[in-house]
Amino acid sequence: MGRPLDLLLRGGTLVDGTGAPAREADIAVVDGRIAVLPAGTPAAAAETLDVTGRVVTPGFIDVHTHSDALAAPLGSAGTTEPTDDLRLAPLLQGVTTEICGNCGTSLFPSLPERLPVLAEHLRVTFGLGPVRPAVDFDTFAAGQDPALRRTHIASLVGHGTLRAGVMGFEARPPGPDELDTMCALLDQALTQGAAGLSTGLIYPPGTYADTEEIVALARVAARHGKPYVTHLRDEMSQVESALEEALEIAVRSGAPLQISHHKTAGRHAWGATLRTLPRLEQARAEGVDVLCDVYPYTAGSTVLHAMLPPWTSEGGVSALLERLRRPETRDRIRADIAHGVKGWENTVGNGGWDLITVAAAQAHPEAEGRSIADLAAERGIHPVDHACDLLLAEQGEVTIISHSMREDDVRRVLASPLSMIGSDGVPKPGRPHPRWAGSFARVLGHYGRDKQLLPLESAVHKMTGLPARRFGLTGRGVVRDGALGDLAVLDPASVRDTATFDRPLLAPEGIDTVVVAGRVAVRGGCPTAARAGEVVRIR
């Protein structure tokens, strides 16, 4: 080497993110870039770490997060400042890049006159009090506080945010001018460096959109060579027809397709991965560029108001809360849950209120960790009434955990060559889902090493090289000469998740060192003072 190195990781085993077999190598970092050296190469460095017996990998890429607001400006009144534990959770398990803006919700874009309505929607979605939406990706990027950015962040353009930012929460198709405006805002955001288009077709206002609307927007993403990333319209009893809609959108638009957190949830869909995964493989064989992501748990997490029929949210949060005060609204909700509504996922109808537990309710912490069914029984009221009362008391800001999947389905998706890893982390105060702190360590330890579901090289590829290629993260995801200096060092014999539903932010074990942009951000399993994360623009 011509000059002293900034950092040298000596004596480790390299798993480079490509899926290739592990090999012995020393890893150098200079000026934020990687050089791969033959093991034992003489070299001087400002800092040398002996990683003998450890595995060195690229920094992990979490392709599915809801961490948009953790380093963004928040309003003042009623704000719940995120704890540093929430910001540290991904870093401590080796994540160096997060992709936010998933499930149709991002912090941008919007017409200026729609910002107040959008802010109310984002408040209940992110559960941190008032959140300031941005008119475009540039404004979002400028608003990220570098003093809080421990990891890099890229963002998708959320279709629900885009729709709300142009036409509010109206349950109707957009007019031609409105659709043109949505396409123009999307085009601008993608030009500025946003990572793709996301939808959340179970969430208002995204659920009010028909297939034609999504095809028109996905064509914009296709022109940029960026993916259409979708939370399907139904992941439960109608998951197969919802998957067909997503494939139709991909074929008609030409956009690469990413199925978010692929699952077949609820008792009517258990076992359906035996059909959905072969369908994805068939589509790829027919030329559709389709992949998926998955988190390694049988429970999901979302907002409580998503358990209610879509009509309840027409007009936005204020209209929702006003409706929930009326007895006739609650009667209609009960009937819709019992009998279903065409095109609605109906999580409770596919499972039950006993499988829905409260994860975050700021003014009612005593409810956290308990099921809606038990809380309602304690009060002697119907679960729908309790859910509505809790939403009213919390001004709509309630997050839940839904125990809705079966283990064999989760394992099939994890093992599929089409899947990559995303936490679907919802980093809110309270008792968030442990996937935010445990997903990557759980795949490596529990499923990879202990259950022998997939070899280490494949697991790492699903966390690094595969997502980097899918989202155009140039220079990331693979340890090779000239790559960006994002690295993780782990002990394959001891790596494991420790986060639980009762203690969801416990750090994993066996991940010793994490390097972000060439700076050591975790040393000996403990965070350093480094704040090297930045906003990633994908051109």
Side-chain angles (χ1 to χ4, degrees), residues 84-101:
D84 209 35
D85 284 350
L86 286 170
R87 296 192 182 99
L88 282 169
L91 180 70
L92 291 175
Q93 55 175 327
V95 171
T96 57
T97 302
E98 301 166 27
I99 300 178
C100 67

Side-chain angles (χ1 to χ4, degrees), residues 311 323-324 326-339 382 384-385 388:
W311 57 263
R323 284 190 189 98
L324 296 186
R326 305 172 194 159
E328 60 269 25
T329 296
R330 300 182 181 201
D331 289 341
R332 184 179 171 189
I333 291 170
R334 274 186 278 270
D336 284 352
I337 289 173
H339 304 296
H382 193 278
V384 165
D385 290 308
C388 293

Side-chain angles (χ1 to χ4, degrees), residues 33 468-469 471-477 483-484 536-539:
R33 298 281 176 170
R469 188 169 70 246
F471 289 96
L473 294 166
T474 304
R476 303 177 197 275
L484 295 164
V536 179
R537 294 178 186 266
I538 300 169
R539 303 295 190 181

Side-chain angles (χ1 to χ4, degrees), residues 236 317 369 406 478:
M236 292 188 159
V317 175
R406 210 167 66 179
V478 177

Side-chain angles (χ1 to χ4, degrees), residues 341-476:
V341 174
K342 184 176 174 57
W344 174 45
E345 184 174 81
N346 193 7
T347 298
V348 176
N350 280 284
W353 286 110
D354 57 316
L355 300 179
I356 307 297
T357 60
V358 177
Q362 184 181 348
H364 296 79
E366 71 281 358
E368 293 170 356
R370 302 188 62 196
S371 75
I372 295 292
D374 285 347
L375 291 165
E378 197 170 83
R379 294 178 59 199
I381 62 174
H382 193 278
V384 165
D385 290 308
H386 185 79
C388 293
D389 290 346
L390 189 59
L391 283 165
L392 287 167
E394 297 283 346
Q395 288 297 295
E397 288 186 41
V398 184
T399 308
I400 58 93
I401 290 171
S402 172
H403 296 270
S404 58
M405 287 165 269
R406 210 167 66 179
E407 177 71 11
D408 59 337
D409 286 314
V410 173
R411 292 191 185 199
R412 284 189 201 101
V413 183
L414 281 168
S416 168
L418 303 186
S419 71
M420 59 193 75
I421 307 305
S423 71
D424 196 12
V426 184
K428 299 181 182 181
R431 293 194 192 185
H433 194 300
R435 64 194 183 188
W436 180 235
S439 288
F440 291 81
R442 185 170 177 79
V443 171
L444 292 167
H446 177 70
Y447 285 108
R449 181 193 59 238
D450 299 342
K451 299 300 181 183
Q452 297 289 294
L453 189 64
L454 63 170
L456 179 62
E457 292 89 345
S458 296
V460 170
H461 178 58
K462 288 173 177 285
M463 302 172 178
T464 57
L466 184 58
R469 188 169 70 246
R470 162 54 93 209
F471 289 96
L473 294 166
T474 304
R476 303 177 197 275

